[in-house]
Amino acid sequence: MEDNYSHIEESLIYILENIPGPIHTSNEYRTLLENFESQITNHCNCDQICTKSLCICVMNSGGVCYINGKLQYDTDITHPVFECNSLCPCSIDCGNRIVQKGPVEGLTIARCVETDKMSKGLGIFTSRAISSGTFICEYAGEVITKSEAMKRHSENKKYERMNYIFCLNEHSNGNVTQTFIDPSQFGNIGRYINHSCEPNCQIVPVRVDSLVPKLAIFACEDIPPGAEITFNYGALSNDQGTATEGERKPCLCGAALCSGWMPFQSY
Ligand SMILES: C[S@@+](CC[C@H](N)C(=O)[O-])C[C@H]1O[C@@H](n2cnc3c(N)ncnc32)[C@H](O)[C@@H]1O
């Protein structure tokens, strides 16, 4: 994977994709590490280029697929995408290998304009037009356990630090699989993407080699040059809508249909 981006703060460490969180002796951490280091054993037997009707990996994605390099946009993408992996014999040019090739070019990190003297901080903007379905970048960081996420989340609150931890919920057969990603200290360009109530991107779980999904951000509409890249933090997270106003942060997305509050994640 290639990525020509970097952080603007020197204290942060730039990573291209997820890394496991800090070593711990708990069973919870051992399970997380096993999943992180696992190799998905399902693979296709396609010759060079995979096709939608024959490739097992594409079929495993439950109908969510790429056509001509673009994700076929569906407002309810809850099923993970399975890309062809290192056990698949198809070539690197196979159309079912998108996220593993790295982010789109032309993204810049810049400070967002203030609203009523309040600021979202930094954000990501595109210098080029991006068409709907294009893969933007991963939201990559440390993959941490639920306990570690809860600990870090309450420390962030206590010290009034920005919260970067994203909890991805995947529902399948009545079970929920949670993945906690924290790009606070180790992260990629995705850590700068802000929330919007009317976003131009969406987050999609994508699995390549590991059982732990990548949090992939895709454009869900055509995006003009100069626009800020945003996704809805509440989608695929566990916002129950139960938080009191005191627990929620005001949303500064500026969208006409803004709910007024940032999505609230309770673990
Ligand atoms: C993943 S970071 C996004 C990048 C961040 N703005 C920065 O300066 O590094 C998430 C944090 O950005 C801020 N943020 C993101 N979207 C926002 C929004 N719509 N309104 C207010 N703050 C927002 C919140 O402080 C949130 O905890």
Side-chain angles (χ1 to χ4, degrees):
M1 180 187 291
E2 285 182 24
D3 182 336
N4 296 321
Y5 298 113
S6 59
H7 291 307
I8 55 175
E9 273 178 58
E10 278 180 12
S11 59
L12 304 177
I13 298 173
Y14 200 91
I15 53 171
L16 298 179
E17 47 195 338
N18 291 333
I19 57 167
I23 294 170
H24 201 269
T25 51
S26 64
N27 286 342
E28 193 189 6
Y29 179 75
R30 209 167 298 135
T31 307
L32 179 138
L33 199 61
E34 271 170 22
N35 287 339
F36 185 83
E37 290 174 347
S38 61
Q39 166 68 53
I40 289 181
T41 48
N42 280 353
H43 62 88
C44 66
N45 288 310
C46 304
D47 188 20
Q48 293 291 312
I49 301 292
C50 297
T51 60
K52 198 178 167 185
S53 54
L54 292 176
C55 176
I56 284 176
C57 303
V58 177
M59 288 180 211
N60 280 343
S61 301
V64 188
C65 65
Y66 307 129
I67 293 184
N68 297 330
K70 307 275 188 282
L71 183 79
Q72 294 312 292
Y73 178 61
D74 170 347
T75 44
D76 290 324
I77 294 183
T78 49
H79 200 285
V81 170
F82 286 90
E83 291 202 353
C84 289
N85 61 49
S86 52
L87 298 178
C88 299
C90 55
S91 88
I92 190 67
D93 297 325
C94 155
N96 195 35
R97 297 178 186 269
I98 299 288
V99 171
Q100 59 192 272
K101 289 185 182 164
V104 74
E105 288 182 8
L107 302 177
T108 51
I109 303 165
R111 196 151 289 283
C112 300
V113 288
E114 287 189 5
T115 314
D116 295 334
K117 295 198 177 147
M118 292 196 289
S119 171
K120 296 186 285 187
L122 300 168
I124 291 197
F125 297 80
T126 176
S127 60
R128 304 178 184 185
I130 294 177
S131 56
S132 182
T134 302
F135 171 56
I136 307 289
C137 65
E138 235 184 283
Y139 189 84
E142 287 179 279
V143 184
I144 55 174
T145 59
K146 184 172 180 163
S147 326
E148 181 70 17
M150 288 167 74
K151 192 179 109 202
R152 291 186 184 189
H153 189 257
S154 54
E155 278 171 10
N156 288 342
K157 252 177 105 176
K158 184 172 164 194
Y159 297 109
E160 295 184 359
R161 293 192 295 238
M162 272 189 182
N163 182 51
Y164 289 84
I165 303 167
F166 190 87
C167 169
L168 174 88
N169 282 336
E170 292 177 277
H171 298 262
S172 154
N173 303 327
N175 297 320
V176 184
T177 307
Q178 294 192 309
T179 304
F180 299 90
I181 305 287
D182 185 8
S184 308
Q185 294 300 315
F186 300 84
N188 72 336
I189 184 94
R191 85 189 279 287
Y192 300 99
I193 303 181
N194 286 318
H195 160 82
S196 174
C197 301
E198 287 181 59
N200 50 22
C201 292
Q202 67 169 353
I203 197 153
V204 178
V206 173
R207 289 185 167 81
V208 184
D209 285 301
S210 171
L211 275 179
V212 175
K214 292 173 180 294
L215 274 52
I217 317 283
F218 286 87
C220 58
E221 61 185 35
D222 291 339
I223 307 175
E228 184 182 355
I229 301 291
T230 56
F231 69 93
N232 185 337
Y233 288 5
L236 301 186
S237 77
N238 51 358
D239 183 4
Q240 307 295 324
T242 50
T244 59
E245 287 198 0
E247 289 176 307
R248 288 183 181 261
K249 270 184 91 169
C251 178
L252 304 174
C253 74
L257 297 179
C258 175
S259 71
W261 302 102
M262 297 272 293
F264 177 78
Q265 302 209 354
S266 60
Y267 307 131

